C-alpha cells in the first residue's frame, strides 16, 4: 500500500482515538479562523487527489464553514398567511446540502476561479467544515494540461451555482446518470 492508502484507512475510522483527538483540536482551531480561508495545502491530501486536485500551479484549496441545522422560514413572529398546509415555520429542510452551500459561497467569493469539487473535513455542534478545490482557468499550467483544460470553456463558469458539480448533480437527482 502507498502512503495515500494508509491515510485513507485512517480517515475511514473516524471514531478511533487518534482521529477523534485530532478532529477536536482542529475544530477548535477552525472556529478561531475566518469562515472562508485559503489554504496552502489540503488537510486530506488523499481525498483531494481522488477528487481531482493536483499539487501544482493553478489549483487552489479553500476551507469554508457552514452553519448546521435546518432552515427556519423567515416570517415575522412566525405568522404565515395562507392555507394551514403552508403554515410550517420550524421543521423545514433546505433543498440543497450543506456541501453545496459551501461550494456556492466560495464560488461567489472567488469569481475568477472554477469550482472543481469539495469534501467534508470536520464538524461540531454548530458548524460543518468543507474544503473546496478550485481551478484558475486563466493559468497557463491549466490551459496546457489536456486532462483539466475542459474547465477553461466559458460554459463551466459558476458550475456550483447551476448544480453541475458532483454534489449539485446529487441534489438534483442525477447521481445515477
Amino acid at each position: 500500500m502507498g502512503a495515500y492508502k494508509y491515510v485513507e484507512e485512517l480517515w475511514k475510522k473516524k471514531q478511533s482515538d487518534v482521529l477523534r483527538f485530532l478532529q477536536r483540536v482542529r475544530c477548535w482551531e477552525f472556529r478561531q479562523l475566518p469562515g472562508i480561508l485559503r489554504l496552502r495545502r489540503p488537510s486530506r491530501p488523499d481525498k483531494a487527489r481522488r477528487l481531482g486536485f493536483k499539487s501544482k500551479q493553478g489549483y487552489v484549496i479553500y476551507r469554508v464553514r457552514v452553519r448546521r441545522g435546518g432552515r427556519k422560514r423567515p416570517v415575522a413572529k412566525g405568522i404565515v398567511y395562507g392555507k394551514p398546509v403552508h403554515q410550517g415555520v420550524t421543521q423545514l429542510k433546505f433543498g440543497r446540502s450543506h456541501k453545496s452551500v459551501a461550494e456556492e459561497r466560495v464560488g461567489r467569493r472567488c469569481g475568477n476561479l472554477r469550482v472543481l469539487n469539495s469534501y467534508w473535513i470536520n464538524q461540531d455542534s454548530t458548524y460543518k467544515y468543507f474544503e473546496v478545490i478550485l481551478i484558475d482557468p486563466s493559468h497557463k499550467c491549466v490551459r496546457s494540461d489536456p486532462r483539466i483544460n475542459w474547465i477553461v470553456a466559458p460554459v463551466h463558469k459558476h458550475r456550483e451555482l447551476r448544480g453541475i458539480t458532483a454534489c449539485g448533480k446529487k441534489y438534483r437527482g442525477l447521481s445515477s446518470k
Side-chain angles (χ1 to χ4, degrees):
M1 288 198 307
Y4 288 118
K5 191 68 180 171
Y6 281 108
V7 175
E8 183 187 342
E9 292 300 319
L10 269 174
W11 273 94
K12 279 182 180 174
K13 298 179 174 64
K14 293 182 179 65
Q15 289 290 319
S16 67
D17 291 346
V18 174
L19 216 56
R20 279 174 67 188
F21 174 75
L22 192 66
Q23 291 291 75
R24 195 164 68 241
V25 172
R26 279 185 180 168
C27 209
W28 176 86
E29 184 191 355
F30 295 166
R31 274 198 301 273
Q32 318 308 315
L33 296 169
I36 300 176
L37 183 70
R38 183 176 172 179
L39 306 175
R40 288 181 56 220
R41 58 174 63 91
S43 48
R44 292 180 68 180
D46 60 314
K47 184 72 171 174
R49 283 177 60 85
R50 269 181 286 155
L51 296 177
F53 176 78
K54 293 269 189 289
S55 182
K56 64 179 191 178
Q57 292 177 329
Y59 287 76
V60 184
I61 295 276
Y62 270 82
R63 181 170 58 235
V64 59
R65 181 175 73 197
V66 180
R67 278 191 90 92
R68 294 179 65 182
R71 180 183 183 272
K72 189 177 180 186
R73 196 189 299 276
V75 289
K77 299 179 182 174
I79 303 165
V80 183
Y81 299 98
K83 300 280 194 292
V85 69
H86 298 301
Q87 283 179 349
V89 173
T90 54
Q91 296 187 357
L92 306 173
K93 313 294 180 282
F94 187 51
R96 295 189 289 128
S97 63
H98 288 119
K99 190 176 173 184
S100 171
V101 173
E103 285 183 0
E104 179 186 340
R105 288 186 187 167
V106 179
R108 286 188 193 280
R109 166 74 67 89
C110 310
N112 61 326
L113 303 176
R114 308 272 162 88
V115 173
L116 179 65
N117 223 320
S118 62
Y119 53 93
W120 177 94
I121 46 166
N122 212 330
Q123 69 185 44
D124 59 12
S125 60
T126 314
Y127 298 107
K128 278 192 177 187
Y129 298 91
F130 298 93
E131 283 182 4
V132 183
I133 305 165
L134 297 112
I135 293 178
D136 184 359
S138 57
H139 202 288
K140 64 176 186 288
C141 288
V142 173
R143 286 178 167 272
S144 60
D145 185 355
R147 284 174 296 189
I148 196 63
N149 67 4
W150 54 268
I151 208 163
V152 173
V155 74
H156 291 294
K157 287 179 183 175
H158 289 293
R159 306 167 69 231
E160 71 287 348
L161 299 178
R162 297 177 291 133
I164 303 173
T165 58
C167 75
K169 285 187 171 180
K170 187 175 181 182
Y171 79 75
R172 288 162 62 211
L174 302 174
S175 51
S176 60
K177 298 254 184 288

